[in-house]
Amino acid sequence: MEIIENLEPLLRTFWYVAIPTSIIFIIQTIMTFIGVDSSDGLDADFNGDLDGGDSPFQLFSLRNLINFLLGFSWTGISFYNSIASPLILITLSIIIGCLFVYLFFLIIRQVQKLEEDNSFHIKNTLNKTAEVYLTIPEKKTGKGKIMISVKGAFHELEAMTENETIPSGTLVKVIKIENENIIIVNSFKPNL
C-alpha cells in the first residue's frame, strides 16, 4: 500500500475506490455464476423502480452502486495522466459511472426478454381444443374431465357442457370459463 500512499490525492482516492469495488464486483460475479446471487441483500426504504412495472431492476441497490463506482474509479485512474483538469476528470468519471449503471440496466432488460412464463392460467384454455378424458354429463348436471395442452404441457381439468352428454375420446372446444375455475366445452367439429 506504500505505492498508493505516494500518489497524488485525487489519484489515490480513485485507487482507494477502485480496489474494494473491484473485489466486491468479482465476488458478485462469481456468486451470480454459481447461483448464490438471489438478491443484493439490501432493501431501500423507498421505491427505486425505473419503469414502475414488475421489473426487478432497482435504481438504488448495492449492485448498481458497485457498477457506478467501478466505472467512476477506473475511468479516473485510466484518464488521470491524459486529462489535466480535475473537474473535467471527475465529471467524466461520474458520466462513465452512470453509463455503467445504464449498461447494466440494458443487459438486464435483454435477459428478461429471454424469460418465459410457463405457469398455467386457466384463461389460456379459452378457444383451445381438448380431448374428453371422462364423460361430460349433459346440461351442466355434472363434471367430466378433459385433457388439454397449454404451452406444451398437458393438463387434466374438470369440464362441463351446456349441451348433450359428451363421451370420452371426443374432441371438444373450450367456449368459456365460469367463476374463474369451471371450463365450459362444446363438441368440436373440425372444418374439412
Side-chain angles (χ1 to χ4, degrees), residues 22-140:
S22 298
I23 292 170
I24 293 170
F25 178 77
I26 290 168
I27 291 170
Q28 281 182 335
T29 303
I30 292 169
M31 289 173 59
T32 299
F33 283 117
I34 62 172
V36 179
D37 184 47
S38 60
S39 71
D40 289 350
L42 295 177
D43 292 326
D45 290 336
F46 53 90
N47 188 352
D49 286 339
L50 284 182
D51 64 350
D54 296 341
S55 174
F57 185 81
Q58 291 283 321
L59 180 59
F60 301 101
S61 68
L62 176 62
R63 182 171 298 276
N64 284 339
L65 176 65
I66 295 302
N67 291 336
F68 173 79
L69 292 176
L70 200 64
F72 172 80
S73 60
W74 285 107
T75 300
I77 292 168
S78 299
F79 290 104
Y80 185 80
N81 292 327
S82 302
I83 300 174
S85 170
L87 182 62
I88 294 173
L89 180 62
I90 291 172
T91 303
L92 178 66
S93 297
I94 289 172
I95 290 169
I96 299 296
C98 291
L99 285 175
F100 269 47
V101 173
Y102 183 68
L103 180 65
F104 178 71
F105 170 72
L106 292 178
I107 291 170
I108 292 299
R109 283 285 241 217
Q110 294 304 315
V111 169
Q112 285 177 339
K113 289 180 182 178
L114 298 174
E115 276 184 16
E116 185 176 346
D117 180 15
N118 281 333
S119 56
F120 175 74
H121 301 286
I122 199 162
K123 67 181 179 189
N124 293 339
T125 63
L126 203 55
N127 297 319
K128 294 212 183 279
T129 57
E131 184 179 345
V132 176
Y133 179 63
L134 290 176
T135 302
I136 302 172
E138 64 182 354
K139 300 188 194 287
K140 294 186 180 180

